Each structure stands twice: as C-alpha cells, then as structure tokens.
Amino acid sequence: MFKNLLPRLREKSLATKRPMSMADLMEDFWSEPFGALPNLFKDVGYPAVDVSEADGVVTVKAELPGIEPKDVEITIENDTLVLRGEKKFEDEEKKDDYHRIERAYGSFSRCVPLPGKVKEVEAKARFDKGVLTITLPLDAAESAKKITIEG
C-alpha cells in the first residue's frame, strides 16, 4: 500500500523543496548523511561585513575584533574588495589550561564584490573598536551606460 504512495510523496517533496514525510527525511539522511553541513555555512564568511551605498560612495564595514590594523591588508582586484590578514594567538595565554577554545585564530581572506568601478586612489580605511570601515567613492565615468533599442 505505502509502496505505491512513496514516489508521489517524494515528487511533492522535490516540488516544494522541503520534506513532506518522515521517509523523505530518512532517505535524504541515508543518501548523504552530512550533505546539509556545507549549506549551513554557505553564506557565512569571515570577517562579517556590511556593504552599503549612498551618495556615490560605497561603505564596507568589517568586524575584526582582536586584530591590529597592521595585520590587515586591503586590496581592490577586478571590482572586488579583498581583505586579508591574520589573527594571532596571544603568547602569554598559551600557559593556561584551556577547557574550550571557540575563538578563531589564523589567516583569513574575504572577497567582497563591489557594485561598480571605484576610485581606488580616493579610498580610505579607518579602524575603530574592532570595526574596519572602508569608504570607496564610485567612479561616475564608469557608471552603467544606457543602451538604446533600435527598431
């Protein structure tokens, strides 16, 4: 009885992109036990950034707690802002017996696509209370060009 019903339930699950029955959940788990894990962190990057645009200026704010400005490199490559750096483990704390370490250490690199060409020579960066703020004026000469339709 259920054997004939399962294919139709599975089709509904695939159409709605969510499980319609416990059998779907089990089938998904056994076919790929850890398949959902990469999707959990798909849109998460380090450092966390906010990108905004107002009055022809793009502002990027990146959270970099515990990092010195000298340990961060900022470049613009192919209309992409690239943040590279390293968060170092404090030497004086190495003698402690840790029960848990959840803070991340090591090198990082984050690419942030920009909404258009920017004037790289006028870019400015400021570091305040663990937040890196980068202001990038948009290049008006390189703004989107309107294409007229013939005919």
Side-chain angles (χ1 to χ4, degrees):
M1 178 176 152
F2 289 115
K3 196 173 187 178
N4 296 332
L5 186 61
L6 286 175
R8 281 185 269 155
L9 285 175
R10 188 68 179 156
E11 286 173 13
K12 282 185 182 179
S13 298
L14 294 173
T16 60
K17 297 182 181 172
R18 62 187 173 108
M20 297 294 285
S21 69
M22 191 64 163
D24 285 341
L25 291 173
M26 291 175 63
E27 184 176 333
D28 290 344
F29 176 77
W30 289 116
S31 65
E32 254 185 280
F34 302 106
L37 289 179
N39 294 333
L40 291 175
F41 305 106
K42 179 176 71 173
D43 295 329
V44 178
Y46 182 83
V49 296
D50 293 337
V51 181
S52 61
E53 180 183 348
D55 301 326
V57 176
V58 176
T59 304
V60 178
K61 293 184 179 182
E63 289 185 346
L64 296 167
I67 297 178
E68 295 293 325
K70 65 179 173 53
D71 294 329
V72 179
E73 177 187 323
I74 305 166
T75 57
I76 297 173
E77 303 168 9
N78 301 326
D79 297 334
T80 302
L81 179 72
V82 181
L83 302 173
R84 290 184 186 94
E86 184 175 4
K87 185 172 181 183
K88 298 176 181 166
F89 193 79
E90 295 88 14
D91 291 334
E92 64 271 6
E93 291 185 17
K94 283 187 178 178
K95 63 181 180 258
D96 293 338
D97 292 329
Y98 285 98
H99 290 278
R100 168 179 260 151
I101 295 178
E102 292 184 352
R103 295 171 41 199
Y105 297 96
S107 298
F108 64 87
S109 178
R110 177 82 192 261
C111 297
V112 180
L114 298 172
K117 293 270 186 206
V118 295
K119 298 177 185 175
E120 297 175 22
V121 294
E122 296 180 26
K124 295 179 182 166
R126 187 177 83 242
F127 205 85
D128 186 33
K129 297 180 184 174
V131 177
L132 175 65
T133 303
I134 305 162
T135 54
L136 305 154
L138 286 171
D139 191 353
E142 292 291 330
S143 63
K145 294 174 180 65
K146 186 175 180 179
I147 300 172
T148 56
I149 301 173
E150 297 177 9

Coordinates of all heavy atoms in Angstrom, one line a residue, residues 46 62-72 86-90 103-106 108 127-131:
Y46 N 34.3 35.1 6.9 CA 35.0 35.9 8.0 C 35.9 36.8 7.3 O 36.7 36.3 6.4 CB 35.7 34.9 8.9 CG 36.4 35.7 10.0 CD1 35.7 36.1 11.2 CD2 37.7 36.1 9.9 CE1 36.3 36.8 12.2 CE2 38.3 36.9 10.9 CZ 37.6 37.2 12.0 OH 38.2 38.0 13.0
A62 N 33.8 45.9 8.3 CA 34.1 44.6 8.6 C 34.5 44.5 10.1 O 35.2 45.3 10.6 CB 35.4 44.2 7.8
E63 N 33.9 43.4 10.7 CA 34.2 43.2 12.1 C 35.5 42.4 12.3 O 35.6 41.3 11.8 CB 33.0 42.4 12.8 CG 31.8 43.2 13.0 CD 30.7 42.5 13.7 OE1 30.9 41.2 13.9 OE2 29.8 43.1 14.2
L64 N 36.5 43.0 12.9 CA 37.8 42.3 13.1 C 38.2 42.5 14.6 O 39.2 43.1 14.8 CB 38.8 43.0 12.2 CG 38.5 42.7 10.7 CD1 39.4 43.6 9.8 CD2 38.8 41.3 10.3
P65 N 37.5 41.9 15.5 CA 37.9 42.1 16.9 C 39.2 41.4 17.2 O 39.4 40.3 16.7 CB 36.7 41.5 17.7 CG 36.1 40.5 16.7 CD 36.3 41.1 15.4
G66 N 40.0 42.0 18.0 CA 41.3 41.4 18.4 C 42.4 41.4 17.4 O 43.4 40.7 17.5
I67 N 42.2 42.2 16.3 CA 43.2 42.2 15.3 C 43.7 43.6 15.2 O 43.0 44.6 15.3 CB 42.6 41.8 13.9 CG1 42.1 40.4 14.0 CG2 43.6 42.0 12.8 CD1 41.4 39.9 12.7
E68 N 45.0 43.7 15.0 CA 45.7 45.0 14.9 C 45.6 45.5 13.4 O 45.6 44.7 12.5 CB 47.2 44.9 15.3 CG 47.4 44.6 16.7 CD 46.9 45.7 17.7 OE1 47.1 46.9 17.3 OE2 46.4 45.4 18.8
P69 N 45.5 46.8 13.2 CA 45.4 47.3 11.8 C 46.6 46.9 10.9 O 46.5 46.6 9.8 CB 45.4 48.8 12.0 CG 44.8 49.0 13.3 CD 45.3 47.9 14.2
K70 N 47.8 46.7 11.5 CA 49.0 46.3 10.8 C 48.9 44.9 10.3 O 49.6 44.5 9.4 CB 50.2 46.5 11.6 CG 50.3 45.6 12.9 CD 51.6 45.9 13.6 CE 51.7 45.2 14.9 NZ 51.4 43.8 15.0
D71 N 48.0 44.1 10.9 CA 47.8 42.7 10.5 C 46.7 42.5 9.4 O 46.4 41.4 9.1 CB 47.4 41.8 11.7 CG 48.6 41.8 12.7 OD1 49.7 41.9 12.3 OD2 48.3 41.7 13.9
V72 N 46.2 43.6 8.8 CA 45.2 43.5 7.8 C 45.7 44.2 6.5 O 46.3 45.2 6.5 CB 43.9 44.2 8.2 CG1 42.8 44.2 7.2 CG2 43.4 43.6 9.5
E86 N 45.6 38.2 9.5 CA 45.9 37.1 10.4 C 45.5 37.5 11.8 O 45.9 38.6 12.3 CB 47.3 36.6 10.3 CG 47.6 35.4 11.2 CD 49.1 34.9 11.0 OE1 49.8 35.6 10.3 OE2 49.4 33.9 11.6
K87 N 44.8 36.6 12.5 CA 44.5 36.8 13.9 C 45.4 35.9 14.6 O 45.4 34.7 14.5 CB 43.0 36.5 14.2 CG 42.7 36.8 15.6 CD 41.2 36.7 15.8 CE 40.8 37.0 17.3 NZ 39.4 36.8 17.5
K88 N 46.3 36.5 15.4 CA 47.4 35.7 16.1 C 46.9 35.3 17.5 O 46.2 36.0 18.2 CB 48.7 36.5 16.2 CG 49.2 36.9 14.8 CD 50.4 37.7 14.8 CE 50.8 38.0 13.4 NZ 51.8 39.1 13.3
F89 N 47.4 34.1 17.9 CA 47.1 33.6 19.2 C 48.0 34.3 20.2 O 49.2 34.4 19.9 CB 47.3 32.1 19.3 CG 46.8 31.4 20.5 CD1 45.4 31.2 20.6 CD2 47.6 31.0 21.5 CE1 44.9 30.5 21.7 CE2 47.1 30.4 22.6 CZ 45.8 30.2 22.7
E90 N 47.5 34.9 21.3 CA 48.3 35.6 22.2 C 49.3 34.6 22.9 O 48.8 33.6 23.5 CB 47.5 36.3 23.2 CG 46.6 37.4 22.7 CD 45.3 36.9 22.2 OE1 44.9 35.8 22.5 OE2 44.6 37.7 21.4
R103 N 37.2 30.7 19.9 CA 37.7 31.9 19.1 C 38.6 31.4 18.0 O 39.4 30.5 18.2 CB 38.4 32.9 20.0 CG 37.4 33.5 21.0 CD 38.1 34.3 22.1 NE 39.2 35.2 21.5 CZ 40.1 35.7 22.3 NH1 40.2 35.5 23.6 NH2 41.0 36.5 21.7
A104 N 38.4 31.9 16.8 CA 39.2 31.5 15.7 C 40.5 32.3 15.6 O 40.6 33.5 15.9 CB 38.4 31.7 14.4
Y105 N 41.6 31.6 15.2 CA 42.9 32.2 15.0 C 43.4 31.7 13.7 O 43.0 30.7 13.2 CB 43.8 31.7 16.1 CG 43.4 32.2 17.5 CD1 42.7 31.4 18.3 CD2 43.7 33.5 17.9 CE1 42.3 31.8 19.6 CE2 43.4 33.9 19.2 CZ 42.6 33.1 20.0 OH 42.2 33.5 21.2
G106 N 44.3 32.5 13.1 CA 44.9 32.1 11.9 C 44.7 33.1 10.8 O 44.1 34.2 11.0
F108 N 43.1 34.7 7.3 CA 41.8 34.8 6.7 C 41.9 35.6 5.4 O 42.8 36.4 5.2 CB 40.7 35.5 7.6 CG 41.0 36.9 8.0 CD1 40.6 38.0 7.2 CD2 41.8 37.2 9.1 CE1 40.9 39.3 7.5 CE2 42.1 38.5 9.4 CZ 41.6 39.6 8.6
F127 N 40.0 52.2 11.3 CA 39.9 51.1 12.3 C 39.5 51.7 13.6 O 40.2 52.5 14.2 CB 41.2 50.3 12.4 CG 41.0 48.9 12.8 CD1 40.7 48.0 11.8 CD2 41.1 48.5 14.1 CE1 40.6 46.6 12.2 CE2 41.0 47.2 14.5 CZ 40.7 46.3 13.5
D128 N 38.3 51.3 14.1 CA 37.8 51.8 15.4 C 37.1 50.8 16.2 O 36.1 50.2 15.7 CB 37.0 53.1 15.2 CG 36.5 53.8 16.4 OD1 37.3 53.8 17.4 OD2 35.4 54.3 16.5
K129 N 37.5 50.4 17.4 CA 36.9 49.5 18.2 C 36.6 48.1 17.6 O 35.5 47.6 17.7 CB 35.6 50.1 18.8 CG 35.8 51.3 19.7 CD 34.5 51.8 20.2 CE 34.7 53.1 21.0 NZ 33.5 53.7 21.4
G130 N 37.6 47.6 16.8 CA 37.4 46.3 16.2 C 36.6 46.3 14.9 O 36.3 45.3 14.4
V131 N 36.2 47.5 14.4 CA 35.5 47.6 13.2 C 36.3 48.4 12.1 O 36.7 49.5 12.4 CB 34.1 48.3 13.4 CG1 33.3 48.4 12.0 CG2 33.2 47.5 14.4

